[in-house]
Amino acid sequence: NVRYIILLWVFLIGAGIKSQSDQSKKILFVGNSYTYFWNLPQTVSAMSLKDSIFLDTRQSTMGGVSLGQHWNAYKGLNTREIIEKNNYDIVILQDFSLQAIEKPDSLLYYGKLFGELIRKEGAKVYLYMTWARKNNPTTQKEIANVYLKLANEIDAIIVPVGLAWERARNIQPEIELFDEDGSHPSPMGTYLTACVFYEILTGKSSVGLSNRITATDLNGEKLFLNIRSDTNANFLQNVAHDVIIEAKMR
């Protein structure tokens, strides 16, 4: 654990991401159901409004797909074209959940191709480090190391979601971050994931965010994207914050 926490510090601080102080960012999430479950991009955007920061989040996602399938336009995916035509400030890459364990070379290969394309289009590359599945928590180190290796090779910024999940599970194993399938996030898991993204993308602490994350529909009516108890929201906010602070202190 110490090794990848130290490496994480390099990519959080050494890459210059101490704070994203601009008031607006255009962001594309590239991934699969780990990204779109419970409206993660919209939740991150709604959280950012607390500080009058506008994160304009969009997504190119399809259930179960890998970065290789995104690159090769699987079933009509047009992720490369979306990146090329929309002037994003940040593109966030998330590979299939078992890719770092079963096919790490594929994650590294297509991660590099996307990294080159994203930089060519003038955007920054962020890597969404995912979590170990519920029945196999010991794989988190392996997942982390592959994402960190890719970050090193393409000079990307790590979003250490998997480390936050690991910490939350260690402190409160009874808290249910997983959907009943033991893989996808529950609303609780998405709230934690969003807190980590919020901190990385804004440079601000997630501690003190609302336990009710809301947006508005096309008619101006309120939408509740996520509702946590005060106790659980505070716990998840502190986990996200502590993981990032701990990495900075190593």
Side-chain angles (χ1 to χ4, degrees), residues 175-208:
I175 200 163
E176 194 49 81
L177 301 178
F178 292 90
D179 182 70
E180 61 184 16
D181 65 4
S183 173
H184 291 92
S186 67
M188 192 89 72
T190 292
Y191 188 96
L192 173 58
T193 300
C195 285
V196 178
F197 270 103
Y198 170 84
E199 292 223 6
I200 293 295
L201 293 170
T202 69
K204 298 179 182 294
S205 173
S206 60
V207 178

Side-chain angles (χ1 to χ4, degrees), residues 41-227:
Q42 294 90 338
T43 300
V44 173
S45 181
M47 283 178 167
S48 73
L49 296 177
K50 166 183 175 289
D51 298 295
S52 299
I53 297 171
F54 179 52
L55 300 181
D56 179 7
T57 58
R58 309 296 174 90
Q59 60 180 286
S60 179
T61 55
M62 181 183 291
V65 299
S66 65
L67 288 180
Q69 289 171 316
H70 275 283
W71 185 264
N72 292 307
Y74 174 75
K75 289 189 175 180
L77 283 167
N78 61 339
T79 304
R80 290 161 65 182
E81 182 179 356
I82 291 170
I83 293 170
E84 291 168 344
K85 292 186 175 181
N86 287 281
N87 297 314
Y88 289 103
D89 298 300
I90 293 169
V91 178
I92 298 164
L93 302 176
Q94 177 252 314
D95 210 337
F96 179 66
S97 58
L98 295 177
Q99 205 79 337
I101 301 166
E102 297 179 349
K103 298 180 180 179
D105 290 344
S106 176
L107 192 160
L108 294 169
Y109 177 75
Y110 287 105
K112 289 177 189 175
L113 290 179
F114 268 114
E116 292 170 2
L117 173 64
I118 293 162
R119 292 191 181 284
K120 178 184 174 184
E121 297 303 319
K124 294 180 179 179
V125 187
Y126 283 57
L127 299 178
Y128 174 178
M129 180 199 292
T130 54
W131 52 85
R133 292 192 173 184
K134 188 174 184 178
N135 64 357
N136 200 5
T138 59
T139 59
Q140 185 59 57
K141 182 176 181 180
E142 189 175 358
I143 294 168
N145 283 336
V146 174
Y147 274 96
L148 287 163
K149 181 178 181 180
L150 177 59
N152 184 45
E153 294 181 359
I154 66 173
D155 192 25
I157 305 307
I158 289 285
V159 186
V161 173
L163 302 188
W165 276 57
E166 181 180 55
R167 185 183 186 93
R169 294 178 70 186
N170 287 339
I171 296 172
Q172 284 194 28
E174 72 280 5
I175 200 163
E176 194 49 81
L177 301 178
F178 292 90
D179 182 70
E180 61 184 16
D181 65 4
S183 173
H184 291 92
S186 67
M188 192 89 72
T190 292
Y191 188 96
L192 173 58
T193 300
C195 285
V196 178
F197 270 103
Y198 170 84
E199 292 223 6
I200 293 295
L201 293 170
T202 69
K204 298 179 182 294
S205 173
S206 60
V207 178
L209 286 170
S210 175
N211 67 313
R212 295 185 170 211
I213 308 303
T214 63
T216 54
D217 67 14
L218 294 176
N219 297 315
E221 295 291 324
K222 185 178 288 187
L223 294 172
F224 287 90
L225 299 174
N226 206 309
I227 301 175

Side-chain angles (χ1 to χ4, degrees), residues 6-29:
I6 291 172
L7 285 171
L8 177 61
W9 176 85
V10 172
F11 296 112
L12 288 177
I13 303 304
I17 307 301
K18 293 182 181 179
S19 173
Q20 291 287 348
S21 58
D22 292 354
Q23 295 304 297
S24 117
K25 294 284 182 185
K26 189 174 181 180
I27 300 170
L28 177 68
F29 283 76

